[in-house]
């Protein structure tokens, strides 16, 4: 068969396939409704065109997609979603958060602005691209309570890879340090040692990070490693009185 014949045959097959695909594509098409249904907090007379930027703003502020609040399966065409449904509990949560946001902004209007413009609260102010507005320390604490220390540290690595340099979480040494002391309060010195060691290895020049690691070793009964890490802390900060006092205590002969 000639090249022209092959090309004609290809066009024929392609056209035949499109006859089946067009109805499917038509079913998948979706557009914002002229009159949205079941608006309870936002103005009921809003058009779909007015609603669109607000909904997009919600998804960006929380780092989610439509299925987070609406009835529908992720990955499926929007034409299959039931946007008017209240079945998804996150929809009511979103409504309450929107009401709370309105109350906060109403209260802010009562304050004399400290700058040239009044501060405005919106979803991103707290969420920073996360569905649940939590500090890194809180997030790791939740991971630990529900899944254990390994899952918490794995999540830390994932979050740091994804969000480092952005405003979602604070990856300075204070977050891991706070999480480590949370673990000490839970009487889990072994887990605290893992966290403080990660922090010290990340912030090698921080006297406080090594001091915290030493304290965890002390709590676990490991005097040798406690002394080693207090000495590292003191070398970085010769005025660290806690390290001075603890090293003195560790080097004192035990009283019978």
């Amino acid at each position: 068969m000639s090249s022209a014949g092959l090309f004609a045959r290809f066009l024929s097959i392609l056209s035949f396939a499109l006859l089946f695909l067009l109805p499917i594509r038509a079913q998948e098409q979706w557009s914002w409704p002229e009159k949205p249904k079941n608006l309870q907090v936002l103005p009921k007379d809003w058009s779909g065109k007015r609603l669109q930027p607000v909904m997009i703003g919600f998804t960006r502020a929380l780092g989610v997609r439509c299925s987070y609040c609406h009835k529908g399966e992720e990955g499926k065409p929007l034409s299959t979603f039931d946007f008017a449904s209240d079945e998804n509990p996150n929809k009511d949560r979103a409504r309450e958060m929107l009401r709370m946001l309105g109350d906060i902004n109403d209260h802010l209007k009562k304050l004399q602005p400290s700058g040239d413009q009044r501060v405005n609260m919106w979803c991103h102010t707290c969420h920073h691209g996360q569905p649940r507005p939590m500090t890194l320390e809180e997030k790791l604490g939740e991971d630990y309570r529900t899944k254990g220390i390994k899952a918490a540290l794995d999540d830390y690595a994932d979050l740091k890879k994804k969000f480092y340099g952005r405003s979602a979480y604070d990856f300075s040494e204070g977050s891991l340090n706070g999480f480590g002391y949370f673990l000490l309060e839970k009487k889990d010195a072994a887990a605290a040692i893992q966290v403080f060691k990660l922090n010290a290895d990340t912030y090698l020049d921080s006297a406080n990070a090594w001091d915290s690691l030493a304290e965890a070793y002390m709590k676990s009964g490991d005097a040798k490693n406690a002394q080693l890490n207090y000495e590292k802390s003191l070398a970085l900060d010769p005025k660290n009185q806690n390290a001075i006092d603890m090293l003195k205590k560790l080097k004192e002969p035990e009283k019978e």
Side-chain angles (χ1 to χ4, degrees), residues 60-64 124 126-131 163 166 168:
R60 290 177 178 173
L62 275 68
V64 298
H124 188 74
C126 297
H127 283 272
H128 296 290
Q130 290 298 302
F163 292 105
R166 297 169 61 185

Side-chain angles (χ1 to χ4, degrees), residues 192-206:
I193 287 171
Q194 293 184 62
V195 172
F196 286 135
K197 191 173 189 308
L198 174 61
N199 209 28
D201 288 342
T202 303
Y203 298 97
L204 295 171
D205 296 329
S206 170

Side-chain angles (χ1 to χ4, degrees), residues 69-252:
C69 291
H70 295 284
K71 182 182 179 181
E73 185 178 343
E74 182 61 35
K76 295 291 185 179
L78 292 180
S79 58
T80 66
F81 279 53
D82 184 355
F83 286 100
S85 171
D86 290 333
E87 185 174 318
N88 190 330
N90 281 337
K91 193 172 188 180
D92 275 333
R93 294 188 182 102
R95 285 170 174 152
E96 286 305 314
M97 293 296 289
L98 194 56
R99 291 186 180 101
M100 181 187 73
L101 187 62
D103 290 341
I104 292 173
N105 279 315
D106 285 343
H107 281 287
L108 286 174
K109 293 175 183 177
K110 301 176 183 178
L111 301 177
Q112 181 66 31
S114 57
D116 65 324
Q117 291 186 348
R118 190 175 299 281
V119 171
N120 178 61
M121 287 284 291
W122 67 296
C123 302
H124 188 74
T125 306
C126 297
H127 283 272
H128 296 290
Q130 290 298 302
R132 301 181 66 210
M134 305 171 74
T135 65
L136 180 58
E137 184 179 340
E138 291 170 338
K139 180 70 171 69
L140 297 177
E142 182 178 71
D143 288 338
Y144 172 77
R145 291 191 303 272
T146 58
K147 295 176 285 188
I149 187 61
K150 183 181 184 305
L153 292 178
D154 287 345
D155 195 25
Y156 174 80
D158 290 340
L159 291 171
K160 190 171 184 180
K161 183 178 180 180
K162 184 177 181 181
F163 292 105
Y164 188 80
R166 297 169 61 185
S167 59
Y169 295 109
D170 176 11
F171 289 99
S172 65
E173 66 175 283
S175 294
L176 278 183
N177 201 61
F179 179 45
Y181 277 105
F182 162 81
L183 295 170
L184 285 182
E185 291 176 1
K186 296 293 183 181
K187 311 298 183 185
D188 193 347
I193 287 171
Q194 293 184 62
V195 172
F196 286 135
K197 191 173 189 308
L198 174 61
N199 209 28
D201 288 342
T202 303
Y203 298 97
L204 295 171
D205 296 329
S206 170
N208 185 63
W210 293 106
D211 186 277
S212 297
L213 178 58
E215 183 176 346
Y217 275 121
M218 195 78 171
K219 296 278 188 183
S220 72
D222 188 343
K224 181 179 178 180
N225 275 308
Q227 179 175 332
L228 178 65
N229 286 285
Y230 276 128
E231 288 172 347
K232 287 182 179 180
S233 177
L234 192 60
L236 290 166
D237 180 10
K239 295 182 180 180
N240 183 351
Q241 191 60 48
N242 183 64
I244 294 171
D245 293 342
M246 294 307 297
L247 285 170
K248 181 179 179 181
K249 181 178 180 180
L250 283 164
K251 293 176 181 179
E252 286 179 350

